[in-house]
Every structure is written in structure tokens, then in C-alpha cells.
């Protein structure tokens, strides 16, 4: 890539240099032409004025008086009659007769009219010289021509072209080398990204990162974004491994109990009551496994946007009250005060069963971690364009470093290891909230400590 960029830089440099030289060459040639034209036309105007004042005699006298001047001695001057014959001519010493006779009046036929004259023209003389001719009509029907032999523009500027080609070739080579070196340095972050990607593929090292350039720019942003992607991928893979570990742990416990219960039933072949009790335990453990798998499927479906929702108009106040009644007995057993705060009706378009499941998981989570004699408060209120369901407890709260992790599937913090559960309640709450176009968040409950979970839902289903 560095070589290609260097060559491309050299090509662009050559094209720009050629355009610049072409413009300079054209400007210089035009400047020389304008200067030569101005000089010849100035003499033509002066001699035409003299002829106007004193006729051919005045013109001859003026030229004879200034004959020794180099500027005048290099001029060709002649007066042509109406029929094209030469009335008067002054030829420079270095001009030959054939050249004098061959100087035409451009654009003038044999029976010419003065208004049709081309007043200035350059006529090629040979490979090295040109004729610069200015023509002026005179008052008596004659024509005045003033000419000067000048250097051919191509021959005059040939050294410039040769210098440009030689210097341009050297500059082009330097531009190519400099372009390759600069491109090699600029594209170094890209090579580092490539090398890091190769190392990760070859070794599986998820902690490999690309050294960030000291200077800013697009490539520095690319390196930072690439490192961010690597960090996110490493975090996702770590979370996946943790999820699989937790899943294996959560499945192993009920399956172990299921197998132990079944083996116990087989050993007690002669006692039907114990066999029925063992089968009941097997059913209970199998239901536990099924609930775990169904919850996992629900979370996956919600995260992929395929969770089926049956939306109806739901009174969130009544729904929260029903959930509170469902858990009131559990709260009384732990001597926890379960309070309800729904001052006004709150209606949203939602799946009643899924929304009840989400609120129930929040209440169950609050009761699980609230100590005996504590308090759990459930509230529903209306905001500008949404409603909020708030569940507050007086438990230990959620550490700040774990508030982003508790929404993962099967994640359980250190404080929850002693609590029995699937580790899917909060992840299912988040999935249901997002499936409805809402969100869920957690922070500290104030005053008194504890945790505060807020489930936010829009009034209407998102388009």
C-alpha cells in the first residue's frame, strides 16, 4: 500500500507539475508576444501619425534622422499603395531581399479595403526567427507596415523546456521516494492492526491490543475503535464463558437431585408412598430445569426482537396491585413491609402477562435481598410520554461495579451466591422492557440505602 500510495503521489505530483509548467510556459510566451507586439504597434502608431502630418517626406526624414538608433535600424517599414505596390520601404541591414518581398499583408486581397486589415500578426520566418508585423491604414488610401524580426518562441523557450524536463525528472524521483517513505510511516497503524489481528487469530490472545499512535487523525481514531472492538469482544466472550459456567452450575444441581431422587425411588421398590414422593420431587426438579430453559429462550427471543407480544390496554396500577397481592404472603413470612403507591390510573399498550412477569421478578428480587423487618415499596406513576414502575427495597443495594453486570443472563454477584435462584430474573426484566420499547435501570434508594429499580414503558407501542 505504501508503494502504491507513493507512486500515486508521484503521478499526481507530475500531473500538477506539468499543469503548472504549462501555465507558466503559456504565460511567459504570451508576455513576450505582448511586449513585442506593444513595441511594434507603438512604432506603427508613431509613423502613421508622422505620415498623417507630413506625408511620405516626413516619414523618410524621421527615419533618416534616427537611422543610427538600434531600435529603428532593426525595423522594417514600408508603405503600400492601393494596388499593393511598394511606395516606400526601409529594410534592416540583416534582412534579405527575398524576405522583404515575401512579407504579406494578412487578410488583404488584391483589391483590399482598409477596414479588413489585420493590424498585427506573427509570420514564421524560419525555425529560429519570426516576423512581427503591424499594419496601419493611412489617410490617402495607402497602408503602412512596420515589422521586426524576433526570436521564434519555441526556439527561445527550448532551454526552459529542457531544464524543466531534467529538473522535473529529478523532482519526480524525489517525490516518489518521499511519497513511499511518508506513506510507509502514515500507514504504520494499519500494519499494526493487521499484525494484531493475525496474532489474535493465531494465538487466541484476546488481550492483544494495537499500540495507539501518539498523534491524532483518522488512523488514530481507527486504532482506538479497533481496540474498543477488541475490548468489547473480549468482554462478550468472557461473559459468554461465565454464562456457560453458571448454566452448567444451575443445571447440575437440579439434575443431580433428579437423579438422586430417581435412584432412591428405585431402591425403595416396596414402598409406593415413598416412590410417589420421589416422583413428585423428580417432577419438581424437572419443572425447575424447564423454567430455566424457557427463561433462557424468552431472553434470547426478546434480545433478537422475536419475543411474541399480545398487546392490549393495560392498567399498570391494577397490574402492580395484583403482583403485590401475590407476594404479600411471602412478605409477611419474612416480616417485610410491602407498600403500594399507585395514586392514579396508568394505562399503557403492553402484553399483560409479560409485564406482570417483569414486575413480579422485580418484586421477588427485592423481597429476596431485603432483610427481616425491612421494607419494599412498589409504585406506578405517569410522566410526560411514558410511565414508570418503581420497586424500592431496604436491602444491601447493588454495588456500582455490578450495576451493568446484573442484567446479564445467569449472572449472580457475590452477595447472591447464598440465595437460591436461576440468575435470569433481571435479564428477563430487561429483555421484556426493551421488547416493549422501554428500559430498566437501577440506582441507590434514598434515604435509608437499598436498591431502586425503575421500569420505564412508553404509553403506546413503538412504530
Amino acid at each position: 500500500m505504501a508503494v502504491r500510495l507513493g507512486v500515486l503521489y508521484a503521478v499526481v505530483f507530475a500531473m500538477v507539475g506539468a499543469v503548472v509548467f504549462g501555465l507558466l510556459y503559456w504565460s511567459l510566451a504570451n508576455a513576450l508576444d505582448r511586449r513585442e507586439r506593444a513595441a511594434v504597434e507603438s512604432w506603427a502608431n508613431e509613423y502613421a501619425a508622422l505620415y498623417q502630418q507630413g506625408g511620405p517626406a516626413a516619414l523618410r526624414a524621421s527615419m533618416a534622422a534616427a537611422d543610427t538608433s538600434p531600435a529603428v535600424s532593426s525595423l522594417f517599414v514600408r508603405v503600400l499603395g492601393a494596388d499593393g505596390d511598394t511606395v516606400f520601404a526601409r529594410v534592416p541591414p540583416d534582412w534579405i531581399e527575398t524576405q522583404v518581398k515575401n512579407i504579406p499583408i494578412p487578410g488583404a486581397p488584391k483589391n483590399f479595403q482598409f477596414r479588413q486589415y489585420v493590424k498585427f500578426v506573427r509570420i514564421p520566418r524560419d525555425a529560429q526567427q519570426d516576423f512581427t508585423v503591424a499594419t496601419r491604414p493611412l489617410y490617402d488610401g495607402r497602408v503602412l507596415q512596420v515589422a521586426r524580426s524576433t526570436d521564434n518562441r519555441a526556439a527561445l523557450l527550448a532551454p526552459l523546456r529542457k531544464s524543466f524536463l531534467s529538473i522535473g525528472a529529478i523532482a519526480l524521483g524525489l517525490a516518489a521516494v518521499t511519497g513511499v517513505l511518508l506513506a510507509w510511516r502514515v500507514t504504520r497503524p494499519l500494519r499494526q492492526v493487521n499484525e494484531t489481528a493475525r496474532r489474535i487469530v493465531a494465538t487466541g490472545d484476546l488481550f492483544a491490543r494495537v499500540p495507539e499512535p501518539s498523534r491524532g487523525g483518522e488512523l488514530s481514531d481507527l486504532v482506538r475503535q479497533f481496540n474498543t472492538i477488541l475490548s468489547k469482544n473480549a468482554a462478550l466472550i468472557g461473559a459468554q464463558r461465565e454464562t456457560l459456567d453458571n448454566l452448567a452450575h444451575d443445571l447440575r444441581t437440579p439434575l443431580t437431585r433428579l437423579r438422586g431422587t430417581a435412584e432412591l425411588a428405585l431402591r425403595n421398590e416396596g414402598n409406593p408412598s415413598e416412590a410417589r414422593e420421589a416422583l413428585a420431587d423428580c417432577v419438581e426438579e424437572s419443572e425447575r430445569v424447564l423454567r430455566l430453559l424457557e427463561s433462557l429462550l424468552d431472553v434470547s427471543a426478546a434480545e433478537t426482537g422475536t419475543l411474541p407480544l399480545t398487546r392490549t390496554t393495560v392498567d399498570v396500577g391494577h397490574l402492580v396491585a395484583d403482583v403485590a397481592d401475590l407476594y404479600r404472603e411471602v412478605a409477611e413470612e419474612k416480616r417485610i413491609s410491602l407498600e403500594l403507591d399507585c395514586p392514579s390510573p396508568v394505562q399503557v399498550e403492553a402484553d399483560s402477562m409479560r409485564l406482570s412477569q417483569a414486575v413480579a421478578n422485580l418484586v421477588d428480587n427485592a423481597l429476596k435481598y431485603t432483610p427481616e423487618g425491612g421494607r419494599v415499596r412498589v409504585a406506578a406513576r405517569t410522566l410526560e410520554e411514558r410511565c414508570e414502575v418503581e420497586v424500592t427495597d431496604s436491602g444491601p443495594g447493588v454495588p456500582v461495579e455490578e450495576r451493568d453486570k446484573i442484567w446479564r443472563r445467569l449472572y449472580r454477584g457475590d452477595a447472591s451466591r447464598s440465595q437460591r435462584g436461576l440468575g435470569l430474573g433481571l435479564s428477563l426484566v430487561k429483555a421484556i422492557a426493551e421488547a416493549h420499547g422501554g428500559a430498566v435501570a437501577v440506582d441507590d434508594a434514598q434515604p435509608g440505602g437499598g436498591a431502586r429499580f425503575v421500569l420505564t414503558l412508553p404509553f403506546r407501542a413503538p412504530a
Side-chain angles (χ1 to χ4, degrees):
M1 179 180 292
V3 174
R4 289 198 299 270
L5 289 176
V7 172
L8 179 61
Y9 172 77
V11 170
V12 173
F13 177 82
M15 293 176 62
V16 173
V19 171
V20 171
F21 176 77
L23 292 175
L24 291 176
Y25 186 90
W26 177 80
S27 299
L28 180 60
N30 281 347
L32 294 175
D33 284 342
R34 286 194 300 271
R35 186 184 67 176
E36 192 66 32
R37 173 179 178 176
V40 174
E41 288 188 341
S42 176
W43 286 109
N45 292 333
E46 181 179 347
Y47 290 152
L50 286 173
Y51 191 93
Q52 183 76 18
Q53 294 175 2
L59 180 59
R60 289 190 183 94
S62 175
M63 295 188 65
D67 188 63
T68 58
S69 171
V72 176
S73 62
S74 63
L75 292 176
F76 165 79
V77 181
R78 72 177 175 181
V79 177
L80 299 177
D83 55 358
D85 295 334
T86 300
V87 176
F88 165 78
R90 182 190 180 284
V91 184
D94 57 338
W95 285 36
I96 59 175
E97 186 66 19
T98 54
Q99 291 174 324
V100 175
K101 292 182 177 179
N102 290 334
I103 296 178
I105 302 176
K110 186 173 181 180
N111 297 321
F112 50 78
Q113 296 181 359
F114 299 133
R115 293 181 182 179
Q116 296 177 348
Y117 293 161
V118 177
K119 296 185 178 182
F120 172 81
V121 71
R122 179 180 295 281
I123 304 171
R125 174 179 175 184
D126 53 32
Q128 301 295 326
Q129 296 290 317
D130 291 337
F131 290 128
T132 301
V133 183
T135 304
R136 293 291 183 272
L138 301 174
Y139 70 92
D140 56 0
R142 294 174 178 176
V143 176
L144 171 66
Q145 275 194 317
V146 178
R148 175 181 285 177
S149 179
T150 60
D151 292 329
N152 182 274
R153 294 295 174 257
L156 181 64
L157 298 177
L160 180 62
R161 293 196 302 272
K162 293 180 180 179
S163 298
F164 172 77
L165 291 177
S166 58
I167 297 175
I170 297 174
L172 183 61
L174 293 176
V177 174
T178 304
V180 170
L181 294 177
L182 291 177
W184 183 264
R185 181 177 180 181
V186 170
T187 57
R188 181 182 178 186
L190 295 180
R191 295 193 301 277
Q192 292 176 336
V193 168
N194 188 28
E195 292 171 1
T196 302
R198 289 178 181 274
R199 186 166 67 251
I200 293 175
V201 172
T203 64
D205 182 12
L206 298 179
F207 297 98
R209 297 294 182 270
V210 181
E212 294 190 7
S214 57
R215 298 182 179 180
E218 291 82 357
L219 292 181
S220 298
D221 293 339
L222 174 63
V223 169
R224 284 191 288 270
Q225 294 297 333
F226 184 74
N227 286 336
T228 301
I229 291 175
L230 292 179
S231 299
K232 288 184 177 293
N233 287 341
L236 290 174
I237 293 175
Q240 184 182 23
R241 290 173 178 173
E242 182 181 358
T243 299
L244 292 176
D245 293 341
N246 292 334
L247 179 61
H249 176 272
D250 289 335
L251 286 177
R252 181 177 57 190
T253 300
L255 291 177
T256 301
R257 291 176 180 173
L258 182 62
R259 178 172 179 173
T261 304
E263 290 176 350
L264 180 62
L266 290 175
R267 287 197 299 267
N268 296 326
E269 296 179 356
N271 192 336
S273 61
E274 292 182 359
R276 283 195 297 271
E277 184 178 353
L279 290 176
D281 291 340
C282 289
V283 171
E284 182 180 353
E285 294 299 334
S286 64
E287 287 180 352
R288 174 178 167 80
V289 174
L290 287 175
R291 286 198 305 273
L292 173 62
L293 296 178
E294 288 175 357
S295 298
L296 282 172
L297 291 175
D298 288 342
V299 172
S300 298
E303 290 178 348
T304 57
T306 59
L307 181 66
L309 296 177
T310 304
R311 295 182 183 270
T312 58
T313 301
V314 179
D315 190 334
V316 179
H318 289 167
L319 184 145
V320 169
D322 292 341
V323 172
D325 290 340
L326 180 65
Y327 282 90
R328 198 169 298 280
E329 183 177 351
V330 177
E332 290 175 355
E333 290 179 358
K334 296 184 65 175
R335 286 186 283 183
I336 296 174
S337 173
L338 182 58
E339 301 175 3
L340 187 64
D341 183 11
C342 299
S344 60
V346 180
Q347 293 185 343
V348 298
E349 290 185 4
D351 188 315
S352 176
M353 184 185 70
R354 295 294 184 184
L355 186 57
S356 297
Q357 187 179 10
V359 176
N361 283 346
L362 291 177
V363 174
D364 180 76
N365 185 76
L367 292 173
K368 184 184 299 182
Y369 298 110
T370 301
E372 185 176 341
R375 182 174 66 91
V376 174
R377 177 175 172 272
V378 185
R381 56 178 174 268
T382 301
L383 298 178
E384 294 181 357
E385 297 181 355
R386 63 189 188 278
C387 78
E388 286 187 354
V389 177
E390 180 184 275
V391 179
T392 308
D393 62 60
S394 58
V398 181
V400 177
E401 63 273 10
E402 291 189 2
R403 290 180 182 176
D404 292 334
K405 301 177 182 179
I406 60 175
W407 310 109
R408 298 178 186 173
R409 285 178 281 184
L410 300 173
Y411 176 81
R412 290 184 295 181
D414 294 337
S416 66
R417 289 300 178 186
S418 61
Q419 299 291 337
R420 180 180 175 87
L422 301 178
L424 286 172
L426 295 180
S427 61
L428 187 59
V429 171
K430 181 176 183 293
I432 292 174
E434 292 179 350
H436 283 83
V440 63
V442 61
D443 56 11
D444 293 328
Q446 297 294 337
R452 173 176 173 267
F453 289 85
V454 180
L455 173 65
T456 304
L457 295 174
F459 287 132
R460 298 187 178 277

